[in-house]
Each structure stands twice: as structure tokens, then as C-alpha cells.
Amino acid sequence: MRSDAVTPRATPTLKSAYPQLVPLSTRWSDNDAYGHLNNVIYYSLFDTAVNRHLLDHGVLDIANSPVVGLVIETRCTYFASLAYPDAIEVGLKVVRLGNSSVTYEVAIFRADQDRAAAVGAFTHVYVDRVSNRPARIPEPVRVLLSTLVAGPAA
Amino acid sequence: MRSDAVTPRATPTLKSAYPQLVPLSTRWSDNDAYGHLNNVIYYSLFDTAVNRHLLDHGVLDIANSPVVGLVIETRCTYFASLAYPDAIEVGLKVVRLGNSSVTYEVAIFRADQDRAAAVGAFTHVYVDRVSNRPARIPEPVRVLLSTLVAGPAA
Amino acid sequence: MRSDAVTPRATPTLKSAYPQLVPLSTRWSDNDAYGHLNNVIYYSLFDTAVNRHLLDHGVLDIANSPVVGLVIETRCTYFASLAYPDAIEVGLKVVRLGNSSVTYEVAIFRADQDRAAAVGAFTHVYVDRVSNRPARIPEPVRVLLSTLVAGPAA
Amino acid sequence: MRSDAVTPRATPTLKSAYPQLVPLSTRWSDNDAYGHLNNVIYYSLFDTAVNRHLLDHGVLDIANSPVVGLVIETRCTYFASLAYPDAIEVGLKVVRLGNSSVTYEVAIFRADQDRAAAVGAFTHVYVDRVSNRPARIPEPVRVLLSTLVAGPAA
């Protein structure tokens, strides 16, 4: 939903700005009473894409990893409406890689459009699964995340 | 999930900071693979509470209102874990009331705790339902929102 | 949604048919593109109510119980539409209590109506959390479930 | 979750039993506190697949069709666990095609497995969008559904 009424804190980005694009499908139940993807669903697409990138590269084991990423901050700015049955691509980029936390810039694209429908941020802090205390990002995760820090793929 | 690893952009607030508290229940399916309320659910509680306040006061008719609020920006900072079957209260406060948009500060509390588990922001821009263009916030809505601008209830 | 076009396999029941009623709230995102509670949400209300009854009576510890109930069969017949922000009550009754499985009759009521909007069934088989093999229903659970086998509360 | 403890009312079918398979993705938030796809999600996959088949073939316009399908009965029997990030395929078959209602057999497969993880049924009754009264299934819909009545594709 584009609006001149407010000063957006983000602007719609292009797919080329993201080193990684994760394809996802929408669901009938994603549409709300106004017939568009409910704003909440975008966040579900964000954490699905982030975790899938980690899982696809073998650096996260949901049931067993001793150190896991917990979400401590997210945000999203919405530019255009989406609706089931739109096919989606989620853009991933790492904008801050600390000792125990990582912040991704995330963007939601309709698969057939180059301009983002929404742009957000997603911060994981890594914690020990048992003690719940911050822990250093595991080396295999860090190596993978480093590849998302750079600019877009050639 | 409290962490010293990052500088949070918000701090946990108290219930007394909010003129309105909306009680909501959690669901079994809200818990994720780590056994806590999934981060996405907080946003569902946000827009449920905001819209319910409007509905309870008779200033929103989901099916018929000619001018409706569309979400253009949201964010959330997480301080502590919650889990089904926790009972929840959502704090509502208006921090910016413009001509066609309103930003709420929203907070998620466990019903039996005074300190917020999460604090966020939620911005509605009002648009004409047919043209999708920004519209002036309807007067009955504005009157209601004005009561949330002030500080906490006495 | 009542229809004469099909022979329903269930008929709308009354609240008095259920020994236990669990109050739950609806969410903005529950409404689908047709403006009514999405059919999927009813199942979320079912397992929320069943598990909450177990949790409220201290016979289920989601993180630690060695024997847990897994869902092996559910069904629902829909009689009338509901919509956020309706307040809900879920009726619970045990219709079959076996060695390792239990089948509940479940019903969704609008809080202010006595006639069910939907009636369904929900079957848990109890399994060992580690081996995933069927296990005898733990005695404290069985005692609690027995109280739901009888007719409605006086 | 396979169990000998109860007599299942359905048995796991094979992909070849379905004239249509719809590929869908899972989401992080689909996993519940036991680390598996929550039972509710299967129903979301059912109605996503059914409606997408109608949309892909141009016989449903969510916002404008004068006659729409409302869900009046669903059920599901669960045979095996699934978990995000599994890729899914939903099998669709029409088992009853009436004047104003249609019942699909639906099945959930892991994309890389041939045996169903769950088998269910899904009944739509077609109603006039305004009056909410049963209506004859529109001819283009009926023609499409007829192609799902037959056995599997050659």
C-alpha cells in the first residue's frame, strides 16, 4: 500500500540488491478480510526464509543445535499489496554481523515483479539452547552469513 | 529474550504506561519448535488489539466502512519469552496522530506480569476502500484515538 | 454456513451437551477473504481448548511430559459463520476413552449463542516422546478425561 | 504418526491416486512445540491447494465471483509426521460432485515421498455470495472438477 501520507523509513528495493532470493508460496488463509495478504504473514515469510537458508546449507539443526538464533527485533515497511495466490520471493542480505547477533535486511517480492512489496529487518541473537544466554555465532553459521554481507550476486 | 549483546531500540515498559489494555488468549499452534510463542504471533496480537478497540467502540465496520486503516509499518522488540497457554494483555497508546495516519505504541504483557515482554509500533494509514488512496481519518475514529494519546488512565 | 444441499453428518449441538466449555478469543487474521473465520481456525481452537484443559489441570507439561498426545484424526462440520471479533467458547466431551487414545467431541460456540456453529471430533493417541510408540494414557490424564465422559455438568 | 492403537478410517494413499498434485512450501511457524507440522496446518494446505487449482484455471475470482465455495465439512487422518522445511505436494481428487456441492479427497505428501503423510476430505458447498444460499456449481467450475473425478493422469 503506497502512501504519500507518511514518510516511509524505507524505500522499495530491487531484487538485484539481495545476494539470496528464497521462493515461497502463499496460502488461502493468508488473505485477510480486505482480500490482501495480512501484514502478519510477511513476518512469517521472513523467518521462514532466514531459517531455510540456514537449514539448506546445513548449519542449523532445529532439534539439536546447541546454539540457536532467537528473534529479538523485527520490523517491516509495506509498499504494495500482495494476495494469495501470488508466488513470493524473499530477498536476504546481512547488514550487521556481530559476535552473537546478526541483522538481516529482508524484502518481499512478488515473483514476477522486480520491486519490493515490503522491506524489513530481522535480528537474531544466538543463545545457548539450555542456558538461554547469548553465545558466539557458530563458525559455520558465520561463514555462511558472511556470504550474504557482500553486495548482490554478479 | 533479554540480551546484552545488542542495543535494544526500546525498553520494557509497564502496564501503567498504556491507556488501554486488551486481554487476549494464546493458542497451542502459537508455540514454535523452540516451545515459545513464535515472533510472528506478536504482530497478530497487535493488529487484533488495535482493531478490536476500534470495533468495540463502534468506529469500524470491517465489511462496510468506506475508509479503512491499512498497515504501512510495524516493528517489535522482544524482551522476554511467552508461551501458550499464557494469558496476554496488549497495551495500546497513540504516539502520533496525523491527518490520515496513526501510529500506536503497542506492548505485549503476560497477564500476570507488569513488565512488557515485547514493545512495538503499529502504523495505520487510512485509505478509501475503493480507490485505495489516503483519506482523512474519520471523525469518530479520531475522537476515539485522541483518548489514547494522553498518558495512562488514572 | 447452513445448507440443505448436503446431508450433514453432524447436527448443531447445544452448550449444555458439554461438561466443559473453554473461552477463547478470535484474531483479526482469522478472518479470510470472505470476511469470516477461516475454516482452518476452528481446528486451532480445538487443539487449543483440548490442551488447555489438560494444562489447567496440571496433567500436561509441554516441554517435559514423557508421554504426549499426538493428533491422529480430526474432523469438523460447519453450520454457521463466525467472524473476528466474536468471542468463542469451545465445548469438550470425551466420546471414546481407550488404552492409548482418546476421542473428544468438540464444538465451537459464539459466546452469546447456545447453538454450535461447528461440531467436530479430535483424536489424540498417546505416545512415548522419545520412541514415538503408542503408550498407555497416563493415569492423571485418564482420571481427568473420565470426568468429561459423563453428560453435561448439572 | 503411525499407530496400531486405533483403527484408522483411511489408509495412506500413493501420489498416483491423484489426478492433480499441487506443490506448496512449509513455514517455520508451522512447526509446533513438538517440532512437527501442527495438525492445523494440513487443513491450511488443503484449502490452499483446492482454491489454487480453481484460480490457476481461471474459474474463481476471489473478489468478484457471484457464486463461491464455502467449506461445510473437512476431515483429516494423520499417518506420518512432517516438519518445516519439508517441501509438500497436495493430491486432489473429486469423490463426489453434486448440484451445489463437491467433496474432494485430499492428501498431503512430502515432495520426495510417494506415500501420503495424511489423507482427508474437503467439502465445498457453492452459495450465492450475497444471499448465502446454495447455488448450482457454475458450469466452468463443474467442467474443471469433472477432470478430477476420473482416476490418475496417465
Side-chain angles (χ1 to χ4, degrees), chain A residues 45-60:
Chain A
L45 300 174
F46 289 164
D47 75 354
T48 295
V50 165
N51 283 298
R52 196 155 104 188
H53 190 65
L54 301 175
L55 289 161
D56 283 353
H57 289 80
V59 301
L60 171 62

Side-chain angles (χ1 to χ4, degrees), chain A residues 82-95:
Chain A
L82 296 170
Y84 165 84
D86 288 345
I88 300 294
E89 288 179 8
V90 183
L92 297 182
K93 181 163 63 173
V94 167
V95 292

Side-chain angles (χ1 to χ4, degrees), chain A residues 72 96 100-101 123-125, chain B residues 3-8:
Chain A
I72 57 161
R96 183 182 170 280
S100 64
S101 71
T123 301
H124 260 157
V125 62
Chain B
S3 166
D4 299 328
V6 296
T7 307

Side-chain angles (χ1 to χ4, degrees), chain A residues 28-31 41, chain B residues 27-30 41 44, chain C residues 24-32 36-49 76 78 82-84 86 88 90 108 118, chain D residues 38-41 43-44 47 71 74:
Chain A
W28 167 262
S29 58
D30 295 342
N31 285 359
I41 299 302
Chain B
R27 297 178 181 171
W28 167 262
S29 58
D30 294 342
I41 300 301
S44 181
Chain C
L24 293 175
S25 53
T26 52
R27 297 178 180 171
W28 168 262
S29 57
D30 294 343
N31 285 359
D32 67 12
H36 299 134
L37 226 65
N38 179 249
N39 66 88
V40 176
I41 299 301
Y42 293 67
Y43 288 98
S44 182
L45 300 173
F46 289 164
D47 75 353
T48 295
C76 185
Y78 302 85
L82 297 169
Y84 164 85
D86 288 346
I88 300 294
V90 183
I108 305 288
Chain D
N38 179 251
N39 67 88
V40 175
I41 300 300
Y43 288 99
S44 182
D47 75 353
V71 176
T74 54

Side-chain angles (χ1 to χ4, degrees), chain C residues 24 44 47 50 62 78 99 101-102 111 123 130 134 152:
Chain C
L24 293 175
S44 182
D47 75 353
V50 165
I62 297 175
Y78 302 85
N99 278 327
S101 71
V102 52
T123 301
V130 177

Side-chain angles (χ1 to χ4, degrees), chain C residues 16-102:
Chain C
S16 56
Y18 299 92
Q20 185 68 34
L21 290 169
V22 179
L24 293 175
S25 53
T26 52
R27 297 178 180 171
W28 168 262
S29 57
D30 294 343
N31 285 359
D32 67 12
Y34 297 149
H36 299 134
L37 226 65
N38 179 249
N39 66 88
V40 176
I41 299 301
Y42 293 67
Y43 288 98
S44 182
L45 300 173
F46 289 164
D47 75 353
T48 295
V50 165
N51 283 298
R52 193 154 108 189
H53 189 64
L54 301 175
L55 289 161
D56 283 355
H57 289 80
V59 301
L60 170 63
D61 177 336
I62 297 175
N64 299 306
S65 289
V67 171
V68 296
L70 291 196
V71 176
I72 57 162
E73 192 161 69
T74 53
R75 63 180 158 77
C76 185
T77 306
Y78 302 85
F79 302 109
S81 294
L82 297 169
Y84 164 85
D86 288 346
I88 300 294
E89 288 179 8
V90 183
L92 296 183
K93 180 163 64 173
V94 168
V95 291
R96 182 182 171 280
L97 182 52
N99 278 327
S100 64
S101 71
V102 52

